[in-house]
Each structure stands twice: as C-alpha cells, then as structure tokens.
Amino acid sequence: AQTVTQSQPEMSVQEAETVTLSCTYDTSESNYYLFWYKQPPSRQMILVIRQEAYKQQNATENRFSVNFQKAAKSFSLKISDSQLGDTAMYFCAFISYSGAGSYQLTFGKGTKLSVIP
Amino acid sequence: DTEVTQTPKHLVMGMTNKKSLKCEQHMGHRAMYWYKQKAKKPPELMFVYSYEKLSINESVPSRFSPECPNSSLLNLHLHALQPEDSALYLCASSQPGQFSYEQYFGPGTRLTVT
C-alpha cells in the first residue's frame, strides 16, 4: 500500500517570498505519478503540478516547481513570489492503479499555507 | 469546458430522509469518483466508476448508494444517514487508463445530517 506523508500541518509566508512544502511517500512501484493539489477556502480542489517518476527533470508551472528525489521518495513543492491567492490547503498525492482501468489518488494529510500581506 | 458541477451546494437532512447528490461533467471523461472530506482532512475515496461501471467501493456503508446513469452523470443516493456522515462530498472525473490523467474536482456538496 502507498502512503503519503506531509509533516507540516501549517505554514505561513510573507507575500512575494518563497516557501517550500514537503512531502514524502512510500511505494514499491517503479512507475507512478505524483501530484500537488490546492484547495482554497472556497473548497474547489485544483491541480497545481504533476511529476512522472521516470522523468529526472523536475516539473515547473510558472511560480510552482517541485524538487523530486526519487531515491529518497521525496516530492517537495516550492512556491516562488507568493501571492495572497496562494492561501490554501495543499495536498500531496500519489496515484496508483486500482484495477479495471481505474486509478486512485492517495492523499497526504495536507499543509495549510497562509500568505501574509 | 473543464468544469465538474455538483448540486446542491448545501444539504441539510434528517436521519430518516432520502436525498440525492448530483454530479455532472461534459469533458468526455469516463471515470468518475465520489470522495468524502471531513474538515481539515484530505478527501477519502468512496466509489469509482469506470466506463459507467462500479469498479471500486471502498467499504462504504449501504446507506450510500452510487449510480452512474450515463457517462456524464453521477449520483449519490443517501438514506438513513448518521450525524457522523456530515461532511463535504466531492465529485471528480478523469480519463481512465493512464497514470498521468489528472482528476478534475467539483466544488462539493456540504451535507449536514441532523
């Protein structure tokens, strides 16, 4: 079974600064995807960034980037130039095959990020 | 259109009521999901439909009954719920068959059982 651990329940960052959210996972699979999802106070969950395990290059999406260390099973999210709209709960997630063409997400417990003006 | 819609936004029901939650997507996705999310917790998977067939039931009590009438619509029928079932119920959809396909989430239905 896969497990995902987010060790920082809450974090805060000053507007325009950089913050890193940590995530570790455990799996015996060799190919997989990892995701960071964001859930703002309005509750709609959206995908921030994804990383394929076979790709050595770290994924980036504008101000969001990951530091993927496959051997260490670590998948941290860096947010640069933090904005007030980044205030949200961030979930790290691992996707695994469940059978019959279905894939399911295993979520970490989440990190609540507050961006301070 | 990358939207998953859910109705109603809020629902209050008694323990003897029967109600239904509705989820709709028009992205052509053939996998749809129901999650339950308690406050300050991650979503917990309840059911997965793949090509309109139930493929995963995460040992959910029978008072929750899912239905997938067509590829765009997913319902969750509720009957004889308990107060501990109060939560945010999220629907999501994706393309089946690939690790890389992200799940698109709806805004959720906030359910309160009295």
Side-chain angles (χ1 to χ4, degrees):
Chain A
Q2 282 67 233
T3 59
V4 178
T5 302
Q6 292 179 251
S7 58
Q8 305 150 313
E10 292 193 38
M11 295 188 72
S12 61
V13 62
Q14 291 291 135
E15 199 174 3
E17 296 295 306
T18 295
V19 64
T20 299
L21 281 57
S22 64
C23 173
T24 58
Y25 62 94
D26 191 23
T27 183
S28 57
E29 298 183 22
S30 57
N31 191 23
Y32 47 87
Y33 271 78
L34 293 159
F35 300 84
W36 278 98
Y37 277 88
K38 167 185 177 181
Q39 190 175 36
S42 64
R43 294 286 183 174
Q44 187 129 20
M45 187 100 68
I46 57 172
L47 179 69
V48 174
I49 199 165
R50 84 187 85 193
Q51 174 78 42
E52 182 179 7
Y54 266 107
K55 288 191 175 178
Q56 292 186 340
Q57 186 173 7
N58 289 324
T60 62
E61 288 286 344
N62 300 314
R63 297 182 295 107
F64 299 88
S65 62
V66 300
N67 183 2
F68 175 52
Q69 303 289 329
K70 190 174 182 180
K73 295 181 179 172
S74 170
F75 181 60
S76 61
L77 174 69
K78 186 172 85 171
I79 306 174
S80 304
D81 185 26
S82 297
Q83 300 175 0
L84 296 178
D86 296 332
T87 292
M89 184 73 86
Y90 287 82
F91 293 102
C92 178
F94 178 101
I95 196 162
S96 57
Y97 184 64
S98 307
S102 299
Y103 292 80
Q104 68 180 84
L105 288 169
T106 300
F107 289 94
K109 291 186 175 181
T111 296
K112 183 180 179 182
L113 178 67
S114 299
V115 179
I116 303 165
Chain B
D1 182 6
T2 58
E3 191 178 18
V4 176
T5 60
Q6 290 187 245
T7 54
K9 284 186 168 48
H10 300 276
L11 178 63
V12 179
M13 60 185 291
M15 290 190 282
T16 58
N17 291 158
K18 285 186 181 180
K19 296 285 185 183
S20 296
L21 310 184
K22 178 181 172 181
C23 172
E24 200 161 5
Q25 56 87 16
H26 296 286
M27 295 178 277
H29 291 167
R30 302 300 298 276
M32 296 186 77
Y33 312 77
W34 279 116
Y35 290 88
K36 174 183 178 181
Q37 187 179 26
K38 291 282 205 178
K40 300 183 181 180
K41 299 287 187 183
E44 297 174 10
L45 184 65
M46 299 175 72
F47 302 104
V48 180
Y49 274 84
S50 181
Y51 297 100
E52 295 85 67
K53 291 185 179 178
L54 184 65
S55 61
I56 295 176
N57 176 342
E58 291 286 8
S59 302
V60 179
S62 59
R63 56 186 184 268
F64 294 91
S65 175
E67 178 195 21
C68 190
N70 58 58
S71 59
S72 300
L73 191 57
L74 184 67
N75 297 319
L76 185 63
H77 303 297
L78 314 172
H79 173 57
L81 294 192
Q82 304 296 312
E84 60 264 28
D85 296 322
S86 297
L88 182 71
Y89 287 84
L90 296 170
C91 173
S93 72
S94 72
Q95 284 292 15
Q98 291 288 340
F99 283 119
S100 59
Y101 293 142
E102 72 175 275
Q103 292 185 19
Y104 290 82
F105 286 82
T109 293
R110 172 74 60 192
L111 174 68
T112 303
V113 181
T114 60

